Amino acid sequence: MSQSSAVVVTGVSSGIGRTTAERFAMRGCRVFGTVRSVAKTKPLSGVELIEMDVRDDESVSPSRFGSPLPRSKG
């Protein structure tokens, strides 16, 4: 298992992003995968899909998720 317990992978609807998310999930990580459209994306086992367009500032704003993102203590 990876030393990281959670990862975020962008572009998991296809290609390198999808393969990367699948591999992290197989290694036991908690995986959050971003896609532009959850409705158009085939589900991935072990990957929580999050609708987000990294080209759109509003789409990636922490306020969109209801609370500030936690800061690393390291």
Side-chain angles (χ1 to χ4, degrees), residues 19-62:
T19 299
T20 301
E22 288 172 332
R23 291 191 181 189
F24 274 119
M26 287 189 308
R27 288 186 171 95
C29 294
R30 183 170 183 198
V31 182
F32 299 91
T34 70
V35 295
R36 283 183 280 199
S37 174
V38 171
K40 295 179 181 179
T41 303
K42 184 178 175 183
L44 282 159
S45 179
V47 179
E48 184 174 336
L49 298 178
I50 300 170
E51 197 160 303
M52 178 184 294
D53 186 343
V54 297
R55 301 171 299 172
D56 177 5
D57 288 341
E58 190 172 315
S59 177
V60 299
S61 172

